[in-house]
Amino acid sequence: MFASVIVDIPSKSVNQVFDYRVPSGMEGLIQVGHRVLVPFGPRTIQGYVMSLDETTDFDPARIKEIARTLDIEPVLTEEMITIAMYLADYYVDQYISVIETILPAALKANYKKVLRLADSYTQEAENALAQVSNGSEVEIKRLDPDALKTLSPYLKSGDIREETVITQHTKRKMALAVHSLKQSDVDLSRAKKQQELYDVIDASSEPVFVRDLVNDGFSNALINTLHKKGLIAKVEAEMERDPYSDRVFTSDPPKVLNSEQQHAYDRITSSMDAQEAKTFLLHGITGSGKTEVYLQVIQKVLDEGKTAIMLVPEIALTPQMVNRFKRRFGDDVAVLHSGLSHGEKYDEWRKIKEGRARVSVGARSSIFAPFQNVGAIIVDEEHETTYKQGDRPMYHATEVAKFRSRYHDCPLILGTATPSLETFARSERGVYERLELTMRAGTKVLPEISIVDMSEEHRTGNTSIISGTLEAGIRQRIEKGEQTVLLLNRRGYSNFQICQSCGYVPMCPNCDISLTYHKSNRSLMCHYCGYESAVHRTCDNCQSDEVTFRGTGTEKVEEILRDMFDTEVVRMDNDTTRRKGMHEKLLDHFEQAEVPILLGTQMIAKGLDYPKVTLVGVLNADTMLNLPDFRANEKTYQLLTQVSGRAGRHELSGEVIFQTYNPTHYAIQLAMENDYRSFYEKEMAFRRLARYSPYYFHVLFTVSSEDIRKCLKATTHIHDTLVQEVSDQSIIVGPSPSPLERINRQYRFQIMLKYKREPELLKMLNNLDEHYHEAYRTEGISLRIDVDPLVIM
């Protein structure tokens, strides 16, 4: 028996399967998807079994044996192996990179080189090793040069050998527990507390954690007394890391669907009954009850003994969505997102793998939840760019969802109020079935939206970022005890520092971007590479003291709001939500303490549902319009529409105010009118004229190097390759500097390929990737190939 194995080496030169012999004692034990230890060159490394076969194309005498297996049950299903191979090929990446993305980080191997005594060794070797270590082995990287020199003779003689120890990144969490020894003649009538403790332990079919007993009021001394009497035994038991163990979720029964919701539910479930791999676009205005449709579809899935995957775009959305799912489905729900620790994610992943959870809720990577029998997949806010991974492998979660939908013959539901143009175009052509929800659930109506021209505000003498109209609206809500949500998609205190004498602006030394002022820690920061420097009160260029700050970020607006309204403000941006659990804590505080104002970046624009929020203000609706990106208008429309939907979602009516310097721009005007169809038609006309998606597919090539000449040389080579390899119908744009030409000391140039059909494209991309993989090693030139890019910055 031979196994084809992908080895844990992130290198293009070994991006293939290698054949290994399955030892006779392991035949039947090793399965497809197992992690194994295999010899590779002079070392032993981890690998993944991709297939098993009775024969091999190579000389059997030269094939090495698998050293051992690391699992009882395979960590990869056959479906996940198929997905890994598909994604690696489609997105031009290495198999091992995709496999490690699919699996939780806890399963990643840790490699440690140690020195150990050989099977036969001299007393001198043992003494020498004992001098530099506390045991029979020592980690090489912890030895100083003198210690290595001392051990060198014994390494040469073979008395001491070097070994690679491979351990799992995160292990199962163990804790001290006790269980009853079931003694028949227990008499603790004179020791009531001991009797009470024994009854608790004896009544449990599983070991009881000592920590839980102590929390319930039983002392360690009392536990030890029962142990000494031989009534209980102490054991190490696994303690599952449950991020929601301290939460109580009240039951949430299904709601009555309105006619549009019922029609959507019926169409989706009929596809489910027919076992069709059909994709639905659930196009519903904000507050139309899309989530209730999701919940009832999933209930049917569970009733049929199947499983369901629910994707949300951002961690900030997850708390409220998790609450709704936990209230409806209880312990059947596993949560997977980046806000959890490695251990928590590992335990949630195992709940799914072992069949103890049948529904997953999470962000992008939870599309890889290891369910066996998927009955429905839901992608909420399908238009969000966060579903596309920014680092390698640059997969799109929706593409993986389509793959899994086909694999399991189950429906895929793409839900949103503002579909991406690509998705809506497919629904227009009948590739997806579109289901419309045009009215808000219950008796609620859409909020009234108005536009404030900030140029006019300035002409009348108001230079504040808060317009007179918005200020009056906020004051009115505070008086009524209602709440306001304010959006400003720019964090920090001020955009930049400037000298009014010479015009000097402090720039990041690593990137072509000005430094942003953060008042909380009195520093200038780069939001791209993390560079930070102290604020100087004199100009670094001319030593003038006429230094000031320009522009406004969320930190400064928070200060303005506190001064203007003398009230508490909850601020949500990357600075305030950096620590674990802060998203949920801030939102809970906003709701429970009824804080009048929630201020934040785009993370607050979607998914939030609070009954007292009746006013939404967008402080600068133009932020995204000015981006050098062909999707800038689309992103602006989507953001404005989504944040508008936070107002008036319950009994109270809502109002929305857009502040802008471009009041006549169609993206802003049509967002005010909530007219997606008109926006779609107008934007599609521009896309057709400029030959962009969805009329063309795209591949973005980004070359980076510390040497700008190497960038120019590499992009010229890529351009020449494209000219030779692609057809005349395709369009090559560039080479040109990236919109941000330098990030983290790396110059960046890019080329955009627009194409409709290129049968040999994948082969060419792999050749370029392989060429520049070697160029990175020898010359420091990096090539990033982004298939179907969503961001061109």
Side-chain angles (χ1 to χ4, degrees):
M1 179 74 73
F2 300 92
S4 296
V5 175
I6 296 288
V7 293
D8 183 15
I9 300 176
S11 171
K12 197 76 176 177
S13 59
V14 293
N15 187 41
Q16 62 186 74
V17 293
F18 292 89
D19 282 2
Y20 285 89
R21 185 188 301 277
V22 177
S24 55
M26 292 187 190
E27 288 188 7
L29 295 176
I30 291 181
Q31 301 173 41
V32 171
H34 263 132
R35 292 178 301 163
V36 290
L37 295 186
V38 294
F40 195 84
R43 52 190 169 150
T44 301
I45 58 174
Q46 179 174 290
Y48 296 86
V49 177
M50 308 305 277
S51 63
L52 293 166
D53 210 319
E54 293 292 341
T55 60
T56 177
D57 294 334
F58 303 96
D59 180 3
R62 299 183 61 188
I63 292 180
K64 299 177 181 178
E65 281 193 344
I66 291 173
R68 66 184 176 93
T69 181
L70 294 173
D71 305 302
I72 297 173
E73 293 293 327
V75 295
L76 286 170
T77 63
E78 292 202 18
E79 179 195 4
M80 288 302 150
I81 289 171
T82 309
I83 288 174
M85 305 300 265
Y86 163 74
L87 292 181
D89 290 340
Y90 185 80
Y91 290 106
V92 195
D93 215 316
Q94 297 157 29
Y95 298 128
I96 190 63
S97 299
V98 179
I99 288 170
E100 290 187 343
T101 299
I102 287 173
L103 293 174
L107 294 177
K108 189 174 173 65
N110 280 342
Y111 294 92
K112 182 172 71 172
K113 287 191 174 181
V114 300
L115 297 181
R116 284 178 175 165
L117 291 170
D119 293 335
S120 59
Y121 56 87
T122 62
Q123 187 63 47
E124 290 83 356
E126 184 179 21
N127 293 339
L129 189 60
Q131 285 177 10
V132 298
S133 71
N134 296 322
S136 59
E137 70 174 43
V138 62
E139 196 172 352
I140 294 176
K141 71 178 183 180
R142 300 188 184 279
L143 294 176
D144 58 39
D146 290 338
L148 278 171
K149 190 175 180 181
T150 302
L151 298 177
S152 180
Y154 305 106
L155 282 162
K156 289 178 181 176
S157 67
D159 290 299
I160 294 175
R161 69 174 188 268
E162 179 185 314
E163 284 189 13
T164 301
V165 177
I166 304 174
T167 57
Q168 189 170 300
H169 184 281
T170 307
K171 297 181 180 178
R172 300 185 181 197
K173 185 178 180 180
M174 308 300 287
L176 184 64
V178 292
H179 66 85
S180 171
L181 292 175
K182 303 294 182 184
Q183 301 288 6
S184 58
D185 55 345
V186 178
D187 182 13
L188 297 171
S189 56
R190 294 186 178 183
K192 291 185 178 179
K193 197 68 176 174
Q194 290 181 31
Q195 182 71 57
E196 185 183 344
L197 173 59
Y198 179 76
D199 289 344
V200 169
I201 298 170
D202 191 55
S204 176
S205 58
E206 300 286 335
V208 183
F209 290 107
V210 169
R211 189 180 74 175
D212 293 340
L213 293 172
V214 171
N215 288 340
D216 289 340
F218 299 107
S219 67
N220 276 306
L222 200 62
I223 296 167
N224 289 332
T225 300
L226 292 186
H227 182 248
K228 287 175 184 175
K229 288 183 176 182
L231 301 177
I232 61 174
K234 292 182 178 181
V235 293
E236 284 285 309
E238 182 185 354
M239 177 174 279
E240 197 162 72
R241 289 158 285 216
D242 182 358
Y244 299 94
S245 59
D246 59 344
R247 299 277 295 278
V248 177
F249 296 95
T250 56
S251 178
D252 175 31
K255 296 173 177 60
V256 177
L257 301 178
N258 64 30
S259 58
E260 289 182 336
Q261 289 173 311
Q262 188 64 49
H263 173 71
Y265 173 84
D266 291 342
R267 290 297 305 131
I268 294 165
T269 52
S270 67
S271 171
M272 196 186 302
D273 292 339
Q275 294 188 316
E276 292 179 314
K278 194 166 188 176
T279 301
F280 294 91
L281 167 58
L282 186 60
H283 182 207
I285 62 171
T286 55
S288 58
K290 294 185 290 294
T291 304
E292 186 60 33
V293 176
Y294 303 155
L295 291 166
Q296 296 201 21
V297 165
I298 290 174
Q299 186 60 63
K300 179 174 170 60
V301 168
L302 299 184
D303 291 344
E304 294 181 356
K306 295 184 178 181
T307 58
I309 298 171
M310 172 79 192
L311 297 190
V312 293
E314 289 189 54
I315 184 176
L317 276 178
T318 311
Q320 280 201 313
M321 191 64 80
V322 167
N323 287 343
R324 289 201 66 177
F325 272 69
K326 285 278 191 182
R327 288 175 63 194
R328 188 68 62 90
F329 304 119
D331 290 338
D332 262 331
V333 177
V335 182
L336 296 167
H337 61 70
S338 59
L340 305 180
S341 68
H342 286 323
E344 287 170 338
K345 273 192 276 193
Y346 177 45
D347 288 352
E348 292 290 288
W349 179 86
R350 285 198 300 120
K351 275 171 64 176
I352 296 169
K353 189 83 169 62
E354 294 165 9
R356 291 181 288 119
R358 298 188 294 159
V359 181
S360 71
V361 179
R364 179 179 59 232
S365 62
S366 65
I367 190 58
F368 300 117
F371 288 120
Q372 293 283 1
N373 187 14
V374 180
I377 304 170
I378 300 164
V379 182
D380 192 31
E381 312 293 2
E382 68 80 26
H383 63 277
E384 285 292 331
T385 56
T386 50
Y387 285 125
K388 170 86 167 164
Q389 172 116 325
D391 303 319
R392 300 186 75 164
M394 288 179 280
Y395 71 93
H396 197 296
T398 302
E399 291 303 313
V400 183
K402 290 177 190 174
F403 186 100
R404 298 198 74 177
S405 167
R406 293 191 296 270
Y407 190 92
H408 292 278
D409 290 322
C410 71
L412 166 63
I413 306 159
L414 308 177
T416 178
T418 54
S420 66
L421 263 65
E422 291 84 353
T423 296
F424 199 82
R426 288 183 180 122
S427 74
E428 286 283 272
R429 295 197 303 270
V431 178
Y432 301 161
E433 181 176 337
R434 187 164 72 245
L435 305 169
E436 299 276 6
L437 302 180
T438 61
M439 53 189 178
R440 281 195 155 183
T443 58
K444 299 178 284 291
V445 296
L446 286 170
E448 291 184 12
I449 304 176
S450 59
I451 293 176
V452 175
D453 184 349
M454 293 303 285
S455 299
E456 189 61 35
E457 285 282 313
H458 286 196
R459 277 193 290 272
T460 59
N462 179 14
T463 57
S464 169
I465 194 169
I466 309 292
S467 66
T469 305
L470 183 56
E471 181 184 351
I474 296 171
R475 289 196 188 281
Q476 187 183 41
R477 267 60 186 194
I478 293 172
E479 289 168 8
K480 289 182 175 180
E482 296 171 5
Q483 293 173 300
T484 300
V485 170
L486 298 176
L487 171 72
L488 177 63
N489 207 20
R490 181 175 287 135
R491 67 187 174 102
Y493 191 84
S494 295
N495 299 359
F496 58 90
Q497 184 184 46
I498 186 169
C499 173
Q500 296 181 97
S501 295
C502 69
Y504 174 76
V505 174
M507 303 290 288
C508 175
N510 307 319
C511 311
D512 285 339
I513 195 79
S514 60
L515 295 171
T516 302
Y517 174 49
H518 286 251
K519 189 176 181 180
S520 58
N521 55 2
R522 299 198 56 77
S523 66
L524 294 169
M525 292 178 62
C526 175
H527 291 170
Y528 287 88
C529 73
Y531 172 82
E532 189 171 348
S533 81
V535 176
H536 297 159
R537 286 301 174 187
T538 57
C539 175
D540 291 343
N541 184 53
C542 71
Q543 283 69 55
S544 166
D545 60 1
E546 292 192 34
V547 172
T548 189
F549 299 99
R550 297 282 172 81
T552 305
T554 50
E555 192 181 356
K556 185 175 182 180
V557 173
E558 179 186 16
E559 193 176 277
I560 292 169
L561 292 169
R562 290 183 193 276
D563 292 342
M564 184 178 283
F565 301 107
D566 189 25
T567 188
E568 186 179 358
V569 178
V570 171
R571 172 165 63 95
M572 281 189 70
D573 55 29
N574 280 348
D575 296 322
T576 61
T577 59
R578 198 164 286 157
R579 284 184 291 127
K580 182 184 174 183
M582 285 308 296
H583 290 89
E584 192 162 6
K585 286 179 182 175
L586 289 170
L587 291 173
D588 281 348
H589 181 60
F590 174 66
E591 181 180 26
Q592 302 300 331
E594 297 187 359
V595 177
I597 301 172
L598 172 65
L599 165 70
T601 53
Q602 64 179 5
M603 64 174 64
I604 66 165
K606 45 203 170 284
L608 304 185
D609 186 355
Y610 296 112
K612 288 200 170 183
V613 172
T614 57
L615 175 63
V616 167
V618 180
L619 301 184
N620 186 352
D622 313 328
T623 308
M624 301 185 87
L625 280 179
N626 303 318
L627 295 176
D629 188 331
F630 71 88
R631 288 191 172 90
N633 295 335
E634 181 184 10
K635 289 176 182 175
T636 298
Y637 178 88
Q638 289 167 343
L639 183 64
L640 295 180
T641 304
Q642 291 290 335
V643 75
S644 298
R646 302 314 106 208
R649 295 176 67 89
H650 292 259
E651 302 308 317
L652 302 170
S653 59
E655 180 186 1
V656 181
I657 297 170
F658 296 158
Q659 295 185 167
T660 175
Y661 290 93
N662 295 280
T664 59
H665 194 284
Y666 69 90
I668 295 172
Q669 282 286 333
L670 294 173
M672 181 187 72
E673 296 166 14
N674 199 38
D675 187 352
Y676 179 83
R677 167 65 69 175
S678 296
F679 174 79
Y680 168 79
E681 290 172 354
K682 199 169 189 71
E683 189 67 13
M684 285 289 278
F686 286 123
R687 296 282 183 92
R688 186 186 300 111
L689 191 65
R691 293 183 288 191
Y692 276 118
S693 174
Y695 295 101
Y696 281 76
F697 296 107
H698 306 143
V699 178
L700 182 66
F701 302 85
T702 304
V703 174
S704 57
S705 171
E706 290 190 2
D707 187 338
I708 193 171
R709 292 168 299 179
K710 290 181 178 179
C711 277
L712 292 168
K713 182 181 176 183
T715 47
T716 301
H717 167 250
I718 293 166
H719 178 269
D720 292 346
T721 303
L722 291 173
V723 169
Q724 293 172 19
E725 299 288 341
V726 301
S727 63
D728 294 340
Q729 286 73 41
S730 295
I731 302 158
I732 304 166
V733 182
S736 61
S738 296
L740 278 169
E741 188 174 344
R742 194 170 66 111
I743 292 180
N744 211 7
R745 298 187 179 180
Q746 297 278 322
Y747 289 96
R748 304 163 71 245
F749 279 69
Q750 63 188 39
I751 297 172
M752 173 80 87
L753 173 66
K754 305 177 186 179
Y755 68 98
K756 288 195 172 181
R757 189 174 180 275
E758 288 292 346
E760 298 299 313
L761 178 65
L762 208 56
K763 181 181 177 183
M764 181 197 67
L765 295 181
N766 273 299
N767 289 339
L768 283 170
D769 189 55
E770 194 165 332
H771 175 83
Y772 283 98
H773 184 83
E774 182 64 22
Y776 177 76
R777 194 176 64 82
T778 57
E779 300 181 65
I781 304 171
S782 172
L783 171 63
R784 167 179 156 143
I785 300 174
D786 190 355
V787 179
D788 305 330
L790 292 187
V791 178
I792 62 170
M793 296 286 284

